């Protein structure tokens, strides 16, 4: 297919449901420190870097940690998170995602990963998708967290696609804002009431049919 467009996928909560593992690991950390946070507050952690997430959580718990303890808690959280990741395989790819990826490959449409996670490559490897992406931009490549557009702008550049021709799939508020800030087409995966700022919102990939993708690509 002839198109000047490219696709950028977020990872956590879009390709795989690792958002639930992040939540479990952060909640354990908070509970161990003697407080809790709500599912609504957790929405604010989605798409946000590891450091930023811990800062927010400590603010909610009205707790201050020394630099050393802060680092130790981040490492503990990641260790706990990775214990869930270790059990993952390709059956964890969310329903409907593979069909879209297969279509993009068959039609030579460039696609990239744009994730805040430093564990992105580990996860892609576990689900057998590491070699499928034309470009991978993750938490080790960026200095500014979503909603800053940096991660998506680098991904588009690597795909050699203009920002306005890039289509982003995102499950987080911060990520939808990052795509919008990059002047890209944003597609929210989740609830309309949370992701209303996106150009389009679907509950999940099973609601997205290939015709919709085709239309976006040929627009
Ligand atoms: C994002 C997740 O993709 O990556 C956040 O939505 C997470 O919840 C962030 O905090 C950083 O991930 P990691 O794996 O580097 O701790
Ligand atoms: Mg996400």
């Amino acid at each position: 297919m002839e198109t000047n467009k490219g696709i950028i996928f977020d990872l956590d909560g879009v390709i795989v449901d690792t958002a639930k593992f992040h939540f479990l690991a952060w909640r354990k950390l908070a509970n161990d420190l003697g407080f809790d946070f709500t599912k609504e507050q957790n929405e604010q952690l989605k798409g946000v870097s590891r450091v930023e997430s811990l800062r927010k959580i400590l603010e909610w718990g009205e707790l201050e940690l020394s630099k050393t303890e802060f680092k130790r808690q981040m490492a503990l959280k990641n260790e706990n998170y990775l214990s869930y990741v270790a059990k993952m395989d390709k059956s964890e790819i969310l329903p409907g995602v593979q069909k879209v990826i297969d279509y993009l490959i068959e039609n030579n449409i460039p696609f990239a990963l744009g994730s805040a996670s430093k564990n992105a490559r580990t996860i892609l490897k576990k689900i057998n998708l590491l070699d499928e992406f034309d470009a991978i931009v993750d938490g080790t490549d960026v200095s500014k967290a979503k909603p800053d557009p940096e991660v998506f702008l680098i991904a588009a550049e690597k795909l050699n696609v203009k920002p306005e021709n890039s289509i982003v799939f995102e499950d987080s508020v911060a990520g939808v804002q990052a795509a919008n800030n990059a002047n890209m087409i944003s597609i929210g995966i989740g609830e309309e009431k949370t992701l209303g700022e996106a150009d389009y919102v679907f509950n999940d990939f099973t609601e997205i049919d290939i015709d919709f993708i085709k239309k976006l690509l040929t627009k």
Side-chain angles (χ1 to χ4, degrees), residues 61-77:
E62 292 172 12
L63 214 69
E64 274 182 39
L65 298 181
S66 68
K67 253 190 177 167
T68 324
E69 188 54 20
F70 188 101
K71 276 197 175 159
R72 196 178 77 89
Q73 289 296 338
M74 270 208 313
L76 281 176
K77 183 269 173 178

PDB file of all heavy atoms in Angstrom, residues 61-77:
ATOM      1  N   GLY A  61       1.246   9.839  49.578  1.00  0.00           N
ATOM      2  CA  GLY A  61       1.418   9.286  50.919  1.00  0.00           C
ATOM      3  C   GLY A  61       2.012  10.298  51.879  1.00  0.00           C
ATOM      4  O   GLY A  61       2.256   9.988  53.046  1.00  0.00           O
ATOM      5  N   GLU A  62       2.257  11.503  51.391  1.00  0.00           N
ATOM      6  CA  GLU A  62       2.874  12.585  52.174  1.00  0.00           C
ATOM      7  C   GLU A  62       4.139  12.092  52.869  1.00  0.00           C
ATOM      8  O   GLU A  62       4.311  12.243  54.077  1.00  0.00           O
ATOM      9  CB  GLU A  62       1.863  13.159  53.173  1.00  0.00           C
ATOM     10  CG  GLU A  62       0.744  13.892  52.467  1.00  0.00           C
ATOM     11  CD  GLU A  62      -0.390  14.316  53.386  1.00  0.00           C
ATOM     12  OE1 GLU A  62      -0.210  14.248  54.617  1.00  0.00           O
ATOM     13  OE2 GLU A  62      -1.436  14.704  52.867  1.00  0.00           O
ATOM     14  N   LEU A  63       4.985  11.491  52.067  1.00  0.00           N
ATOM     15  CA  LEU A  63       6.204  10.896  52.595  1.00  0.00           C
ATOM     16  C   LEU A  63       7.412  11.454  51.857  1.00  0.00           C
ATOM     17  O   LEU A  63       7.345  11.666  50.644  1.00  0.00           O
ATOM     18  CB  LEU A  63       6.124   9.381  52.360  1.00  0.00           C
ATOM     19  CG  LEU A  63       6.751   8.481  53.395  1.00  0.00           C
ATOM     20  CD1 LEU A  63       5.956   8.547  54.690  1.00  0.00           C
ATOM     21  CD2 LEU A  63       6.761   7.040  52.878  1.00  0.00           C
ATOM     22  N   GLU A  64       8.490  11.673  52.599  1.00  0.00           N
ATOM     23  CA  GLU A  64       9.730  12.078  51.917  1.00  0.00           C
ATOM     24  C   GLU A  64      10.791  11.025  52.179  1.00  0.00           C
ATOM     25  O   GLU A  64      10.907  10.520  53.289  1.00  0.00           O
ATOM     26  CB  GLU A  64      10.188  13.441  52.445  1.00  0.00           C
ATOM     27  CG  GLU A  64       9.520  14.575  51.694  1.00  0.00           C
ATOM     28  CD  GLU A  64      10.000  15.938  52.154  1.00  0.00           C
ATOM     29  OE1 GLU A  64      11.212  16.076  52.417  1.00  0.00           O
ATOM     30  OE2 GLU A  64       9.139  16.821  52.240  1.00  0.00           O
ATOM     31  N   LEU A  65      11.552  10.690  51.138  1.00  0.00           N
ATOM     32  CA  LEU A  65      12.612   9.691  51.306  1.00  0.00           C
ATOM     33  C   LEU A  65      13.958  10.319  50.981  1.00  0.00           C
ATOM     34  O   LEU A  65      14.037  11.245  50.174  1.00  0.00           O
ATOM     35  CB  LEU A  65      12.385   8.505  50.356  1.00  0.00           C
ATOM     36  CG  LEU A  65      11.126   7.663  50.507  1.00  0.00           C
ATOM     37  CD1 LEU A  65      11.118   6.535  49.479  1.00  0.00           C
ATOM     38  CD2 LEU A  65      11.011   7.073  51.915  1.00  0.00           C
ATOM     39  N   SER A  66      15.004   9.793  51.599  1.00  0.00           N
ATOM     40  CA  SER A  66      16.356  10.251  51.237  1.00  0.00           C
ATOM     41  C   SER A  66      16.636   9.770  49.809  1.00  0.00           C
ATOM     42  O   SER A  66      15.954   8.868  49.315  1.00  0.00           O
ATOM     43  CB  SER A  66      17.386   9.643  52.190  1.00  0.00           C
ATOM     44  OG  SER A  66      17.451   8.244  51.967  1.00  0.00           O
ATOM     45  N   LYS A  67      17.645  10.350  49.208  1.00  0.00           N
ATOM     46  CA  LYS A  67      18.003   9.964  47.833  1.00  0.00           C
ATOM     47  C   LYS A  67      18.286   8.469  47.719  1.00  0.00           C
ATOM     48  O   LYS A  67      17.846   7.797  46.791  1.00  0.00           O
ATOM     49  CB  LYS A  67      19.257  10.733  47.406  1.00  0.00           C
ATOM     50  CG  LYS A  67      18.978  11.826  46.419  1.00  0.00           C
ATOM     51  CD  LYS A  67      20.275  12.360  45.872  1.00  0.00           C
ATOM     52  CE  LYS A  67      19.982  13.403  44.817  1.00  0.00           C
ATOM     53  NZ  LYS A  67      21.152  14.178  44.443  1.00  0.00           N
ATOM     54  N   THR A  68      19.020   7.964  48.696  1.00  0.00           N
ATOM     55  CA  THR A  68      19.398   6.546  48.680  1.00  0.00           C
ATOM     56  C   THR A  68      18.173   5.659  48.814  1.00  0.00           C
ATOM     57  O   THR A  68      18.026   4.662  48.102  1.00  0.00           O
ATOM     58  CB  THR A  68      20.351   6.229  49.869  1.00  0.00           C
ATOM     59  OG1 THR A  68      21.180   7.351  50.071  1.00  0.00           O
ATOM     60  CG2 THR A  68      21.129   4.976  49.664  1.00  0.00           C
ATOM     61  N   GLU A  69      17.283   6.024  49.743  1.00  0.00           N
ATOM     62  CA  GLU A  69      16.082   5.224  49.960  1.00  0.00           C
ATOM     63  C   GLU A  69      15.155   5.292  48.746  1.00  0.00           C
ATOM     64  O   GLU A  69      14.527   4.298  48.369  1.00  0.00           O
ATOM     65  CB  GLU A  69      15.374   5.716  51.245  1.00  0.00           C
ATOM     66  CG  GLU A  69      14.204   4.870  51.727  1.00  0.00           C
ATOM     67  CD  GLU A  69      14.523   3.379  51.921  1.00  0.00           C
ATOM     68  OE1 GLU A  69      15.694   3.010  52.050  1.00  0.00           O
ATOM     69  OE2 GLU A  69      13.566   2.566  51.910  1.00  0.00           O
ATOM     70  N   PHE A  70      15.107   6.456  48.119  1.00  0.00           N
ATOM     71  CA  PHE A  70      14.285   6.628  46.913  1.00  0.00           C
ATOM     72  C   PHE A  70      14.753   5.637  45.839  1.00  0.00           C
ATOM     73  O   PHE A  70      13.963   4.909  45.251  1.00  0.00           O
ATOM     74  CB  PHE A  70      14.418   8.079  46.423  1.00  0.00           C
ATOM     75  CG  PHE A  70      13.473   8.455  45.301  1.00  0.00           C
ATOM     76  CD1 PHE A  70      12.313   9.183  45.566  1.00  0.00           C
ATOM     77  CD2 PHE A  70      13.739   8.108  43.979  1.00  0.00           C
ATOM     78  CE1 PHE A  70      11.436   9.547  44.536  1.00  0.00           C
ATOM     79  CE2 PHE A  70      12.873   8.461  42.953  1.00  0.00           C
ATOM     80  CZ  PHE A  70      11.729   9.179  43.231  1.00  0.00           C
ATOM     81  N   LYS A  71      16.062   5.612  45.649  1.00  0.00           N
ATOM     82  CA  LYS A  71      16.642   4.709  44.634  1.00  0.00           C
ATOM     83  C   LYS A  71      16.371   3.259  44.989  1.00  0.00           C
ATOM     84  O   LYS A  71      16.075   2.428  44.123  1.00  0.00           O
ATOM     85  CB  LYS A  71      18.158   4.929  44.546  1.00  0.00           C
ATOM     86  CG  LYS A  71      18.526   6.066  43.640  1.00  0.00           C
ATOM     87  CD  LYS A  71      19.995   5.992  43.267  1.00  0.00           C
ATOM     88  CE  LYS A  71      20.336   7.061  42.253  1.00  0.00           C
ATOM     89  NZ  LYS A  71      21.759   7.360  42.224  1.00  0.00           N
ATOM     90  N   ARG A  72      16.501   2.945  46.297  1.00  0.00           N
ATOM     91  CA  ARG A  72      16.293   1.565  46.736  1.00  0.00           C
ATOM     92  C   ARG A  72      14.838   1.139  46.490  1.00  0.00           C
ATOM     93  O   ARG A  72      14.571   0.052  46.002  1.00  0.00           O
ATOM     94  CB  ARG A  72      16.629   1.438  48.234  1.00  0.00           C
ATOM     95  CG  ARG A  72      16.831   0.000  48.698  1.00  0.00           C
ATOM     96  CD  ARG A  72      17.207  -0.053  50.163  1.00  0.00           C
ATOM     97  NE  ARG A  72      16.047   0.167  51.018  1.00  0.00           N
ATOM     98  CZ  ARG A  72      15.243  -0.796  51.447  1.00  0.00           C
ATOM     99  NH1 ARG A  72      15.481  -2.051  51.134  1.00  0.00           N
ATOM    100  NH2 ARG A  72      14.198  -0.515  52.209  1.00  0.00           N
ATOM    101  N   GLN A  73      13.914   2.036  46.776  1.00  0.00           N
ATOM    102  CA  GLN A  73      12.495   1.718  46.566  1.00  0.00           C
ATOM    103  C   GLN A  73      12.185   1.516  45.080  1.00  0.00           C
ATOM    104  O   GLN A  73      11.408   0.644  44.715  1.00  0.00           O
ATOM    105  CB  GLN A  73      11.593   2.824  47.149  1.00  0.00           C
ATOM    106  CG  GLN A  73      11.564   2.874  48.669  1.00  0.00           C
ATOM    107  CD  GLN A  73      10.969   1.618  49.309  1.00  0.00           C
ATOM    108  OE1 GLN A  73      10.221   0.868  48.692  1.00  0.00           O
ATOM    109  NE2 GLN A  73      11.330   1.373  50.562  1.00  0.00           N
ATOM    110  N   MET A  74      12.810   2.342  44.227  1.00  0.00           N
ATOM    111  CA  MET A  74      12.604   2.175  42.780  1.00  0.00           C
ATOM    112  C   MET A  74      13.099   0.820  42.312  1.00  0.00           C
ATOM    113  O   MET A  74      12.470   0.156  41.499  1.00  0.00           O
ATOM    114  CB  MET A  74      13.357   3.270  42.002  1.00  0.00           C
ATOM    115  CG  MET A  74      12.530   4.495  41.767  1.00  0.00           C
ATOM    116  SD  MET A  74      13.013   5.370  40.270  1.00  0.00           S
ATOM    117  CE  MET A  74      14.751   5.462  40.383  1.00  0.00           C
ATOM    118  N   ALA A  75      14.252   0.426  42.853  1.00  0.00           N
ATOM    119  CA  ALA A  75      14.832  -0.869  42.467  1.00  0.00           C
ATOM    120  C   ALA A  75      13.948  -2.019  42.958  1.00  0.00           C
ATOM    121  O   ALA A  75      13.728  -2.998  42.236  1.00  0.00           O
ATOM    122  CB  ALA A  75      16.245  -0.989  43.035  1.00  0.00           C
ATOM    123  N   LEU A  76      13.425  -1.877  44.189  1.00  0.00           N
ATOM    124  CA  LEU A  76      12.546  -2.922  44.736  1.00  0.00           C
ATOM    125  C   LEU A  76      11.288  -3.062  43.895  1.00  0.00           C
ATOM    126  O   LEU A  76      10.839  -4.170  43.579  1.00  0.00           O
ATOM    127  CB  LEU A  76      12.134  -2.566  46.179  1.00  0.00           C
ATOM    128  CG  LEU A  76      13.145  -2.844  47.282  1.00  0.00           C
ATOM    129  CD1 LEU A  76      12.617  -2.350  48.621  1.00  0.00           C
ATOM    130  CD2 LEU A  76      13.446  -4.350  47.353  1.00  0.00           C
ATOM    131  N   LYS A  77      10.725  -1.907  43.520  1.00  0.00           N
ATOM    132  CA  LYS A  77       9.514  -1.933  42.683  1.00  0.00           C
ATOM    133  C   LYS A  77       9.794  -2.643  41.371  1.00  0.00           C
ATOM    134  O   LYS A  77       9.021  -3.483  40.917  1.00  0.00           O
ATOM    135  CB  LYS A  77       9.013  -0.501  42.439  1.00  0.00           C
ATOM    136  CG  LYS A  77       7.713  -0.423  41.647  1.00  0.00           C
ATOM    137  CD  LYS A  77       7.949  -0.315  40.152  1.00  0.00           C
ATOM    138  CE  LYS A  77       6.670  -0.408  39.340  1.00  0.00           C
ATOM    139  NZ  LYS A  77       6.910  -0.267  37.910  1.00  0.00           N
TER     140      LYS A  77
END
